[in-house]
Amino acid sequence: MSKAIQAIRGMNDCLPNETNIWQMVETVLRRVASNYGFSEIRMPIVESTALFKRSIGEVTDIVEKEMYTFEDRNGDSLTLRPEGTASCVRAGNQHGLLYNQEQRLWYMGPMFRHERPQKGRYRQFHQFGIEAFGFASADIDAEIIMLSARLWRELGIEDVVTLELNSLGSNEERAKYREALIEYLTLHQEKLDEDSKRRMHSNPLRVLDSKNSEVQAVLVDAPKLSDYLTQESQQHFASLCQRLEAAGIKYVLNDRLVRGLDYYNRTVFEWVTSSLGAQGTICAGGRYDGLVEQLGGKATPAFGFALGIERLVLMLTSLDKAQNIRPQVDVYVAMLGDGVDIKANQLAEQWRDKVQDIRIQCHCGGGNFKKQMKRADKSGASIAIILGEDEIATQKVTIKYLRERKEQQSMDFNQVPAFLETLL
Ligand code: ATP
Ligand code: MG
């Protein structure tokens, strides 16, 4: 036998026993996005490498070491998208959706990063993202964070997630802070690790985000970005906080929260959980007022976030929230006797015509009653509809309950559709 080919490390199959929880999550994400009047946008998975270098920043983990970049047959440098915001802005600019307009968009799909695969961290993973363009004030920041909070409520995980907030100020404010931070870090360089030393000049704010505890100890007395914010930025942030409080959304201020992508300004936020181990961030985003212009468009304020669907699914599974999800099959049709299968299939077709959302699986391949009931059980269906020669003669079916202690019952053919409606 030849050796079987395996999937690429860190790129997972989503198997049939997992797809129903994924579909449930995706349904909630889509529904909540439309509850706030957002429209879907779909972008290609492959883009020019330059797009990500220019937007995410050359000195970021993503661009330095995580991108899947390759030359295509024409020698053009292409990259499998590591995130959605850059593509979304590129599409918005290219199709004239952004200048002097307001857009509320969402997207969902696979992203690719060459990271070390582990729980909650993969090389192909899926994000759901929200992006709003054309809004400068904190009302949209608040509304989008409210949207994210609604997602957790709908998924039943609102008690195990925490909102962390920070303001990065404007580019000018950050530039001044950057100088002060470089000065401070230079004085303490001998206590920094290699990564932080390298970042100190190229991207010093990222040092704040270091996971190394010695580096974190050095940072305790470092200058604070909040001391460099102008009144305007402070007011923006205060307005956001006030709106969140009015909406009953609790938050924690975290002045080390800087995010791993260069394009953010003013508001940044993360939703974190302790229920996933090290990979605790399930959703992250903020304001990126400079990005549209940086990518060749006219200056347009913007705000957005992305959430990791794998991490959500992991959370829901570990918290046993996946229990009440509707199984893939509602009804299993069993059939016994000569020629009964053809009649059973005709009836099942009629039921599907009449009850649009019903999920009916018809037994195939014959076999005795015991075998058919085994399949019925395995299908996850809550009831079996049984048809035999007697039933066909009397125009009745037998309903057998598979998950409840309930007597089986007999029912006229024409009563079945109304009965199926009660299962939905
Ligand atoms: P982290 O600090 O965990 O590396 P990040 O800052 O790189 O996250 P973002 O680029 O902001 O993450 O992506 C938003 C969300 O996408 C994350 O909060 C996370 O839920 C998810 N995510 C990011 N990278 C991965 C990955 N490699 N595998 C699975 N999910 C991921
Ligand atoms: Mg990362």
Side-chain angles (χ1 to χ4, degrees), residues 34-318:
S34 50
N35 286 154
Y36 288 76
F38 283 66
S39 313
E40 185 181 8
I41 180 165
R42 301 185 186 193
M43 298 85 66
I45 283 168
V46 181
E47 299 267 6
S48 299
T49 303
L51 173 67
F52 302 113
K53 288 197 171 167
R54 226 207 270 182
S55 56
I56 298 169
E58 298 264 5
V59 197
T60 55
D61 282 347
I62 296 179
V63 173
E64 275 183 341
K65 50 190 185 200
E66 296 174 358
M67 293 205 304
Y68 276 92
T69 296
F70 60 96
E71 273 189 12
D72 77 354
R73 287 168 193 275
N74 304 327
D76 296 326
S77 181
L78 306 183
T79 293
L80 300 185
R81 61 182 188 192
E83 58 116 39
T85 303
S87 306
C88 188
V89 172
R90 196 265 315 132
N93 280 339
Q94 186 173 336
H95 302 286
L97 304 182
L98 306 183
Y99 181 56
N100 255 340
Q101 291 172 73
E102 292 176 347
Q103 293 290 349
R104 291 174 169 87
L105 307 173
W106 66 268
Y107 60 81
M108 180 150 60
M111 305 293 161
F112 303 84
R113 297 186 196 176
H114 196 275
E115 304 197 66
R116 192 170 68 79
Q118 54 197 291
K119 183 181 168 202
R121 195 176 289 290
Y122 312 101
R123 290 181 172 173
Q124 173 172 329
F125 61 100
H126 296 77
Q127 285 185 336
F128 166 84
I130 285 276
E131 317 286 358
F133 298 94
F135 306 94
S137 53
D139 45 5
I140 197 82
D141 307 28
E143 197 179 28
I144 289 179
I145 293 176
M146 275 147 72
L147 183 163
S148 62
R150 181 175 296 276
L151 294 172
W152 320 139
R153 288 201 301 278
E154 299 251 337
L155 293 167
I157 54 171
E158 72 273 30
D159 294 336
V160 287
V161 292
T162 309
L163 172 62
E164 296 195 355
L165 269 190
N166 192 21
S167 175
L168 299 180
S170 66
N171 288 345
E172 300 79 58
E173 290 151 26
R174 234 175 14 266
K176 287 204 185 108
Y177 172 67
R178 193 172 181 269
E179 303 266 296
L181 184 62
I182 293 178
E183 198 176 311
Y184 177 87
L185 293 174
T186 311
L187 284 174
H188 298 86
Q189 2 197 348
E190 75 287 354
K191 290 184 225 134
L192 298 179
D193 59 10
E194 282 312 310
D195 239 16
S196 301
K197 273 190 201 147
R198 196 168 49 83
R199 291 250 148 94
M200 193 166 83
H201 292 284
S202 57
N203 196 351
L205 265 72
R206 283 293 279 157
V207 178
L208 297 180
D209 199 32
S210 167
K211 304 272 186 299
N212 183 326
S213 56
E214 283 167 39
V215 175
Q216 280 300 329
V218 173
L219 291 170
V220 172
D221 295 318
K224 291 207 178 329
L225 180 52
S226 52
D227 294 331
Y228 289 76
L229 299 188
T230 57
Q231 212 183 357
E232 222 189 324
S233 285
Q234 282 173 16
Q235 268 165 7
H236 185 99
F237 196 53
S239 165
L240 167 62
C241 293
Q242 189 194 3
R243 287 162 193 279
L244 293 178
E245 278 154 33
I249 295 176
K250 295 198 187 67
Y251 57 85
V252 182
L253 299 179
N254 174 0
D255 61 13
R256 304 261 172 89
L257 184 64
V258 293
R259 310 284 308 111
L261 305 90
D262 277 356
Y263 48 63
Y264 288 108
N265 68 299
R266 290 207 165 146
T267 314
V268 286
F269 72 99
E270 284 190 359
W271 285 96
V272 297
T273 175
S274 52
S275 70
L276 283 179
Q279 270 55 254
T281 305
I282 54 166
C283 171
R287 184 162 277 284
Y288 53 96
D289 294 334
L291 185 61
V292 175
E293 194 175 18
Q294 201 177 314
L295 290 178
K298 294 255 170 47
T300 305
F303 191 97
F305 71 72
L307 67 78
I309 302 182
E310 279 79 1
R311 291 188 194 176
L312 264 189
V313 168
L314 273 172
M315 262 180 95
L316 291 168
T317 314
S318 73

Side-chain angles (χ1 to χ4, degrees), residues 341-355:
D341 54 347
I342 290 177
K343 183 66 189 169
N345 279 311
Q346 279 172 353
L347 286 167
E349 283 294 88
Q350 288 168 19
W351 299 332
R352 293 184 186 110
D353 285 341
K354 293 203 167 111
V355 190

Side-chain angles (χ1 to χ4, degrees), residues 371-396:
K371 173 179 166 186
Q372 296 199 30
M373 283 306 109
K374 261 195 186 158
R375 296 277 165 79
D377 186 50
K378 201 167 169 227
S379 75
S382 56
I383 65 156
I385 294 185
I386 302 160
L387 275 159
E389 281 154 5
D390 290 351
E391 276 89 353
I392 294 198
T394 54
Q395 302 265 299
K396 281 178 189 301

